[in-house]
Amino acid sequence: MTRTSRVAIVTGSTSGIGLAIARTLAQQGADVVLNGFGQPDAIEKERAGIEAEFGVRAVYSGADMSKGDEIAAMVAQAETDFGAVDILVNNAGIQYVSAIEEFPVEKWDQIIAINLSSAFHTMRAAIPGMKKKGWGRIINTASAHSLVASPFKAAYVAAKHGIAGLTKTAALELATHKITVNCISPGYVWTPLVEAQIPDTMKARGLTREQVIHDVLLQAQSTKEFVTVEQVGALAAFLCTDAASQITGANIPVDGGWTAH
Ligand code: NAD
């Protein structure tokens, strides 16, 4: 792929899929705004590493994706620092596993805020700049759970189905502005988010760790392999190319055949 001189915000990019997307976009020549939580030393190491390895600018925003005002400030800061936001990747997300009747209300609110409403807030802030420039790419990390459900993940499945709908609506609104809006919907990708839900799933279903990995997580994934973060990063980079300019409003599974069932 040819190198670009774009500016990308990737939310939730201190870890997992978001970090891989940010690194892949930087490898293609994009300046990047990293975002997410974590140890300051580790975040700084990633940020400086991206600059050194790929010869781009990388800055970090600690904006909390559950807070609309912090999200608006992050986009405004990026526009001030870099002059534009060309690529917006809404990726930050959390998970909580519990039966609906025991689902903590604050967890429901938090998941809807971070996994769904944050994308509304980032788009609301970034779209005017993209329209002015006449070019943009919005990529939402949805999930196989934007297409199908699993028990005990009520808030996550609701938020991910929501982001699939938001994606289609934004794609229609922006179709004549050379701004594409798409979802990438991974199946199970081996990241801290997946690792962290194993104990709760063991508890909710009364299973061992190995049973959760093989009988729950990889059960529906036909290839019986986890997706890699690099594979998701490569698809995000492709969606930012001119070759992908007619792909908009799509929800693209990267799920080892899970949603083909
Ligand atoms: P991860 O836990 O490795 O990364 C999540 C990122 O989001 C981290 O950088 C974290 O700091 C950030 N984050 C969490 N809360 C935040 C907040 N309030 N404000 C700002 N940043 C916040 O998880 P991951 O697996 O890389 O997940 C990334 C995205 O991919 C999520 O939207 C997730 O739902 C989605 N996804 C993951 C999988 C999978 O199997 N791992 C599958 C499908 C979809």
Side-chain angles (χ1 to χ4, degrees):
M1 254 175 265
T2 48
R3 278 175 73 89
T4 63
S5 54
R6 304 289 188 191
V7 175
I9 294 180
V10 185
T11 73
S13 50
T14 53
S15 168
I17 293 169
L19 179 57
I21 293 175
R23 286 181 54 80
T24 310
L25 295 177
Q27 190 179 29
Q28 307 304 322
D31 293 323
V32 291
V33 178
L34 300 174
N35 161 259
F37 300 147
Q39 294 297 325
D41 289 359
I43 294 171
E44 175 52 24
K45 200 171 159 214
E46 287 295 350
R47 189 204 64 75
I50 287 173
E51 287 196 335
E53 194 174 345
F54 305 118
V56 298
R57 286 174 67 198
V59 299
Y60 167 68
S61 162
D64 183 339
M65 289 302 111
S66 67
K67 302 204 165 90
D69 54 343
E70 292 190 25
I71 293 170
M74 175 185 71
V75 174
Q77 188 66 48
E79 288 177 339
T80 305
D81 289 350
F82 293 112
V85 174
D86 304 297
I87 299 166
L88 170 64
V89 183
N90 292 302
N91 170 82
I94 59 167
Q95 175 62 283
Y96 192 83
V97 180
S98 165
I100 293 172
E101 66 272 28
E102 287 151 19
F103 214 97
V105 173
E106 63 276 14
K107 280 287 170 202
W108 170 274
D109 291 343
Q110 201 186 8
I111 289 176
I112 299 299
I114 296 169
N115 295 19
L116 175 57
S117 302
S118 69
F120 161 73
H121 292 294
T122 55
M123 284 188 201
R124 192 171 181 278
I127 284 170
M130 289 181 177
K131 277 187 171 173
K132 214 161 125 190
K133 232 178 142 177
W135 196 93
R137 293 285 188 270
I138 300 173
I139 299 167
N140 299 318
T141 309
S143 164
H145 283 122
S146 74
L147 296 160
V148 296
S150 295
F152 311 117
K153 295 183 176 177
Y156 189 87
V157 171
K160 295 298 185 181
H161 275 64
I163 205 150
L166 174 63
T167 300
K168 288 193 258 188
T169 304
L172 296 180
E173 289 184 22
L174 300 170
T176 57
H177 293 271
K178 301 200 183 304
I179 302 168
T180 68
V181 190
N182 293 289
C183 287
I184 296 177
S185 282
Y188 283 104
V189 189
W190 191 256
T191 69
L193 181 139
V194 167
E195 177 75 47
Q197 66 188 275
I198 291 174
D200 289 342
T201 309
M202 287 166 65
K203 201 171 131 203
R205 296 181 180 235
L207 299 175
T208 66
R209 180 182 165 83
E210 285 64 37
Q211 284 171 322
V212 169
I213 290 175
H214 295 287
D215 302 344
V216 180
L217 301 184
L218 293 180
Q219 191 268 334
Q221 209 144 300
S222 307
T223 55
K224 303 297 170 201
E225 290 176 13
F226 285 98
V227 178
T228 69
V229 293
E230 290 78 13
Q231 288 167 339
V232 181
L235 177 56
F238 174 69
L239 288 173
C240 294
T241 64
D242 288 340
S245 68
Q246 294 304 312
I247 302 175
T248 196
N251 188 346
I252 306 171
V254 188
D255 66 3
W258 173 353
T259 53
H261 283 286

